[in-house]
Amino acid sequence: MNINRHSTSTLLEGLTHEQAQAVLHEEGPLLVLAGAGSGKTRVLTHRVIYLLEEKRVEHNRLMAVTFTNKAAKEMKSRIQSLSGAGYKTVEQMWIGTFHGICNRLLRAEIPFVDIKDASGKTLHWTRNFVIFDTQDSLNLLKDSLKTLNLDEKLYPPKVVQGRISALKNFGLLSAQFNSKAKDSYELKLAEIYDKYQEKLHQNNALDFDDLLLFTLELFRSNPDRLRHYNQHFEHLLVDEFQDTNQTQYDLLKTIVQGLQAGSDFEWSGRSFCAVGDIDQSIYSWRGANYKLTLHFKKDFPQASIIKLEENFRSKEQILQVANSVIKNNQQRIEKKLVCTRGKGEKVTCFEAADEIEEGNYVASEIKRLQAKGVHLHDMAVLYRINAQSRALEEALLKNKIPYRIVGGMRFYDRLEIKDLVAYLRLVYNTKDSTALKRVINSPRRGIGASTIAQIEEKADSLNMSLYAALADLLDSGNLGAKATQAAHGFVELIDSFVELATEVSVPELLRIVIERSGYLQALEAQDDEESEGRIENIHELLNVAQHFNEESEDKSLGAFLAQISLASDTDKLQDDDSAVTLLTVHSSKGLEFPCVFITGLEEGVFPHTRVLASSHDCNEDLEEERRLLYVALTRAEDKLYLTFARRRRLWGQREYAEPSRFMAEMPQECLSGYWGSSVIGRNN
Ligand code: ATP
Ligand code: MG
């Protein structure tokens, strides 16, 4: 192997003293708390390389948790280029998101996970489990309510889904919650949770939160496996630590030092390095709790704490605006963040009559910047809520400005893609009844609603999967003649795919599924604009499969399905695209762009209307909105725009709005342009 080893000095080149200290940290816990753009992610990457190259840590004995798949990919490619390690070696490293890492662990370990339900029964999943997305899990939850004869009006499925998710993110299994339930509503909730989990089990499926909770449960209930991983992982690194939830935190703690935390823990050459910024905690609605960062100090009293106080990203006036906004939060630790990049231009403000004028302004400024030589891929337009993107998109389209949108309709959420993936899921795990329901009559093959209801009834009464129930019904000859013929055809088709799956590659299998299922044929027969678009998407899915087959270490069908389930909006962002990026503030975390537009700075949009409904001014929600704005402001390197529309069509109405209260928190001397019908600052 051609090892292109880096000496420590080259690895530390260009790092500040504090950054280098964090990279070189020897053993034990380390917390790096620092503001936006101070090089936290950079420190983490350099530390991984240092451990591999200088400390000769075996590549698979460290675990690095990133916030997105894209960040994991970037870290891997930097490791490859800076360390000279081979592609294969880097691919095998434990670098990924919490969900990605847990998925990998569970593919091996899930037979050892014992999940107790409320009646004390132990449930087991098998290694070919599938991952249900939010929509699949919502459907299953609705089924659970139906089975329990509960009214959706009293138990709105989305609300219940959120509650169950929160319980899972807090580390509670249904049985544990059941024993803690405080009132009749919570008891009911525990019952729904239990039923929902039973149904997931019938499907051999996990939802996103289960990936984390099951891994934690593996360690909580299986000392053998825990010991194995304790000994295996020598170094743990976590980015965006402020956005971990309780389950994730407990997972990390458990992997690092087993179940007995405490100050007398022997680190002997091992380390746990967490980096984060409390001011950027923006996922409390997903159970993230920035206070856990403070717990870290309590749980690991011997922790070294390093602060990074220089910002390498933004020009000074941008940073001043960001710093003076976030100062208004009370729930924070005051920190220093000084600029290293010079004063730069003032932040440009623009007040538009409505969202259409706002969009036009953004488009015209993009064109002006482009004429000055700024690349489109160096510009980003941020918004607080997805609904804002429509007016912006229209303006960009009208001005022929190419853009890509992060977090719009995901490729994998499209009907035809979900259908074909459902075929693959069913082939991989015939217990996946949600997948079966999607494909049993798609394309139409004469299996109608009454037949499906019959299959469901059978499955419910015998507590089996739909596929098994279908086979059972066919054996017993209880279906009508036409339905029998159609169902026979379907079972034969799926069985033939199952057999093929062991012999051919994923792209080959997909090609066969597309053809033999009749799916493509049905679309071709439709022959209109819509079906044409769908056929193009199917070809794109084939490309994805082909690419997976060429690039992935693990080329199995299970790995392909997991990759799709865990794909996220930011994954596809590429720097070389010649297009402006449109994205929500939430998905901009960790990213940076030379020019940034933050749109919709109005009361009711940013801060969000939810906050306005709240009675006091200084509540947790408002502080989270302020952190969100801090994240948005600190994405900008050189040029920042803030825009506001006096009237906006939103939530189905056209409403007048006040400028965001956060505007008043910004230092006027750093702003220029028009605001609230008055001129702010002086032009640059
Ligand atoms: P965020 O809080 O937004 O996640 P961060 O603290 O992780 O930011 P990075 O993304 O690691 O910060 O770094 C911000 C920018 O500063 C990057 O472009 C990075 O390459 C650069 N940078 C980091 N450290 C230095 C340094 N010592 N000298 C010059 N540039 C640096
Ligand atoms: Mg970062």
Side-chain angles (χ1 to χ4, degrees):
M1 192 163 60
N2 174 20
I3 300 262
N4 160 26
R5 280 192 62 193
H6 255 253
S7 69
T8 311
S9 58
T10 22
L11 193 61
L12 300 181
E13 232 168 62
L15 295 187
T16 63
H17 174 69
E18 289 74 20
Q19 288 178 325
Q21 237 185 321
V23 170
L24 300 177
H25 174 78
E26 277 295 319
E27 64 172 27
L30 165 69
L31 183 61
V32 179
L33 274 183
S38 57
K40 296 182 295 297
T41 303
R42 190 189 239 210
V43 160
L44 218 65
T45 311
H46 282 244
R47 180 164 170 77
V48 170
I49 297 164
Y50 169 74
L51 291 171
L52 296 177
E53 296 289 299
E54 290 299 313
K55 304 302 279 184
R56 311 306 283 162
V57 173
E58 279 177 54
H59 69 275
N60 65 349
R61 289 204 167 222
L62 62 82
M63 179 189 282
V65 187
T66 58
F67 200 69
T68 59
N69 296 319
K70 181 175 183 268
K73 222 171 155 182
E74 271 171 18
M75 191 177 279
K76 283 182 183 172
S77 81
R78 291 212 60 192
I79 291 168
Q80 219 187 321
S81 67
L82 282 174
S83 75
Y87 176 76
K88 239 180 162 172
T89 311
V90 177
E91 264 311 289
Q92 284 167 348
M93 290 182 68
W94 290 87
I95 299 178
T97 60
F98 273 111
H99 290 100
I101 285 174
C102 288
N103 171 59
R104 179 167 164 196
L105 260 161
L106 290 175
R107 289 289 156 196
E109 303 291 349
I110 206 159
F112 306 108
V113 180
D114 298 333
I115 301 292
K116 288 236 178 342
D117 73 5
S119 69
K121 202 167 72 193
T122 305
L123 305 177
H124 283 117
W125 275 250
T126 57
R127 290 193 174 102
N128 61 335
F129 65 86
V130 288
I131 303 164
F132 273 13
D133 66 15
T134 316
Q135 190 56 48
D136 293 334
S137 93
L138 189 66
N139 292 341
L140 205 67
L141 196 62
K142 287 181 182 168
D143 282 354
S144 312
L145 293 169
K146 220 189 280 166
T147 311
L148 293 171
N149 267 326
L150 294 173
D151 188 348
E152 285 195 10
K153 284 199 198 79
L154 291 175
Y155 300 92
K158 278 203 169 160
V159 174
V160 176
Q161 186 181 35
R163 288 290 303 265
I164 292 177
S165 170
L167 292 169
K168 289 183 173 183
N169 286 327
F170 200 69
L172 290 175
L173 295 166
S174 60
Q176 294 162 332
F177 178 58
N178 188 43
S179 63
K180 278 183 198 273
K182 288 194 297 286
D183 50 36
S184 59
Y185 179 78
E186 288 201 348
L187 269 174
K188 219 27 153 196
L189 195 63
E191 196 185 340
I192 303 170
Y193 180 0
D194 206 51
K195 179 57 75 183
Y196 167 69
Q197 209 61 34
E198 182 190 322
K199 287 198 185 269
L200 281 168
H201 179 252
Q202 278 169 7
N203 282 269
N204 195 25
L206 267 60
D207 65 20
F208 289 132
D209 303 317
D210 285 336
L211 288 171
L212 310 171
L213 184 59
F214 280 36
T215 313
L216 180 59
E217 195 52 27
L218 168 77
F219 295 143
R220 287 198 296 215
S221 61
N222 202 320
D224 245 22
R225 302 318 296 150
L226 175 60
R227 202 168 313 119
H228 170 78
Y229 285 101
N230 269 169
Q231 282 165 5
H232 180 82
F233 289 116
E234 296 170 347
H235 299 277
L236 210 65
L237 303 95
V238 193
D239 201 358
E240 306 279 6
F241 189 60
Q242 75 280 358
D243 271 327
T244 46
N245 61 40
Q246 188 71 44
T247 299
Q248 291 166 337
Y249 181 70
D250 289 345
L251 245 178
L252 294 170
K253 223 169 63 176
T254 316
I255 292 177
V256 169
Q257 57 175 28
L259 294 172
Q260 312 80 17
S263 51
D264 51 354
F265 179 74
E266 279 289 330
W267 287 88
S268 41
R270 297 145 54 92
S271 77
F272 177 17
C273 166
V275 314
D277 176 7
I278 292 178
D279 289 336
Q280 293 186 68
S281 170
I282 56 174
Y283 278 99
S284 68
W285 48 281
R286 273 196 337 210
N289 180 3
Y290 65 88
K291 290 178 187 142
L292 290 172
T293 311
L294 309 175
H295 276 258
F296 186 95
K297 294 195 218 168
K298 273 202 211 118
D299 287 343
F300 302 101
Q302 66 280 60
S304 312
I305 297 185
I306 294 181
K307 292 183 177 165
L308 309 177
E309 300 187 326
E310 283 160 289
N311 172 296
F312 297 97
R313 180 181 293 145
S314 310
K315 294 277 196 206
E316 189 163 1
Q317 307 211 60
I318 297 173
L319 198 61
Q320 267 178 304
V321 169
N323 282 343
S324 70
V325 167
I326 198 65
K327 253 202 205 117
N328 294 280
N329 268 10
Q330 281 164 14
Q331 302 255 8
R332 72 185 286 263
I333 302 166
E334 177 69 37
K335 60 179 180 291
K336 211 163 101 187
L337 192 59
V338 295
C339 177
T340 60
R341 294 205 50 226
K343 196 153 193 262
E345 290 178 29
K346 289 189 182 196
V347 173
T348 303
C349 304
F350 182 79
E351 176 185 320
D354 54 20
E355 77 276 11
I356 300 169
E357 196 186 21
E358 182 186 48
N360 288 338
Y361 171 74
V362 170
S364 70
E365 279 304 297
I366 288 173
K367 283 188 138 173
R368 204 175 61 77
L369 290 167
Q370 208 184 359
K372 276 172 59 182
V374 183
H375 291 293
L376 291 178
H377 67 246
D378 285 337
M379 301 184 225
V381 186
L382 270 53
Y383 37 86
R384 172 68 183 84
I385 44 182
N386 274 306
Q388 281 174 262
S389 80
R390 190 194 48 83
L392 294 164
E393 285 184 74
E394 272 171 27
L396 296 177
L397 280 171
K398 205 168 65 194
N399 284 280
K400 301 197 171 50
I401 298 170
Y403 64 88
R404 61 202 163 157
I405 187 154
V406 179
M409 172 77 147
R410 282 191 341 146
F411 177 71
Y412 295 112
D413 287 340
R414 298 194 173 133
L415 177 97
E416 62 281 9
I417 303 302
K418 284 202 102 169
D419 282 352
L420 289 171
V421 170
Y423 270 104
L424 296 182
R425 269 169 44 176
L426 184 61
V427 170
Y428 181 62
N429 165 32
T430 51
K431 283 187 178 170
D432 187 340
S433 299
T434 304
L436 181 134
K437 272 206 267 186
R438 252 200 112 86
V439 301
I440 191 163
N441 202 33
S442 178
R444 292 221 169 105
R445 46 174 73 90
I447 304 180
S450 67
T451 310
I452 295 173
Q454 227 178 318
I455 304 169
E456 277 185 309
E457 210 171 288
K458 181 100 195 170
D460 261 355
S461 68
L462 295 179
N463 202 7
M464 51 167 56
S465 71
L466 290 187
Y467 198 66
L470 176 58
D472 210 73
L473 271 176
L474 281 173
D475 282 348
S476 64
N478 280 347
L479 289 174
K482 250 179 100 182
T484 302
Q485 199 189 3
H488 241 304
F490 178 70
V491 170
E492 263 177 25
L493 186 73
I494 299 299
D495 282 348
S496 74
F497 293 158
V498 171
E499 218 177 296
L500 272 170
T502 57
E503 296 162 12
V504 301
S505 67
V506 170
E508 194 51 33
L509 178 68
L510 178 61
R511 192 164 303 132
I512 293 169
V513 167
I514 290 169
E515 280 164 17
R516 293 198 198 156
S517 64
Y519 201 91
L520 185 65
Q521 240 175 339
L523 282 176
E524 281 168 350
Q526 196 182 322
D527 191 25
D528 55 17
E529 209 172 307
E530 183 195 315
S531 63
E532 242 172 60
R534 294 195 191 283
I535 292 171
E536 275 169 23
N537 288 335
I538 289 176
H539 284 295
E540 181 57 23
L541 183 65
L542 273 168
N543 289 340
V544 173
Q546 198 66 46
H547 188 253
F548 162 84
N549 204 43
E550 285 158 14
E551 298 285 319
S552 285
E553 179 63 23
D554 178 354
K555 299 184 194 305
S556 67
L557 181 55
F560 181 63
L561 291 171
Q563 178 187 299
I564 290 178
S565 304
L566 300 176
S568 74
D569 300 334
T570 39
D571 292 354
K572 282 193 127 230
L573 267 184
Q574 275 170 7
D575 293 338
D576 53 5
D577 279 359
S578 178
V580 175
T581 307
L582 262 61
L583 73 176
T584 62
V585 178
H586 276 103
S587 40
S588 76
K589 201 166 81 152
L591 304 177
E592 56 191 16
F593 300 90
C595 298
V596 171
F597 294 83
I598 306 175
T599 60
L601 274 160
E602 300 133 35
E603 289 291 293
V605 176
F606 208 164
H608 193 275
T609 172
R610 202 171 353 101
V611 178
L612 304 189
S614 173
S615 52
H616 23 70
D617 209 37
C618 236
N619 55 53
E620 294 249 333
D621 286 347
L622 183 64
E623 297 219 338
E624 176 131 335
E625 289 292 308
R626 202 178 271 112
R627 290 193 293 268
L628 202 48
L629 180 57
Y630 177 73
V631 168
L633 297 165
T634 52
R635 298 310 96 199
E637 295 171 12
D638 304 324
K639 182 70 206 164
L640 177 63
Y641 291 85
L642 306 174
T643 64
F644 151 64
R646 273 196 308 274
R647 282 175 83 190
R648 183 181 295 277
R649 190 183 290 280
L650 210 62
W651 327 116
Q653 288 170 14
R654 213 164 187 31
E655 288 191 14
Y656 284 94
E658 294 287 317
S660 166
R661 70 187 72 185
F662 298 138
M663 287 303 299
E665 299 170 357
M666 299 177 182
Q668 300 289 303
E669 66 276 13
C670 298
L671 308 178
S672 76
Y674 289 94
W675 199 273
S677 307
S678 63
V679 181
I680 293 176
R682 269 179 293 120
N683 275 336
N684 311 313

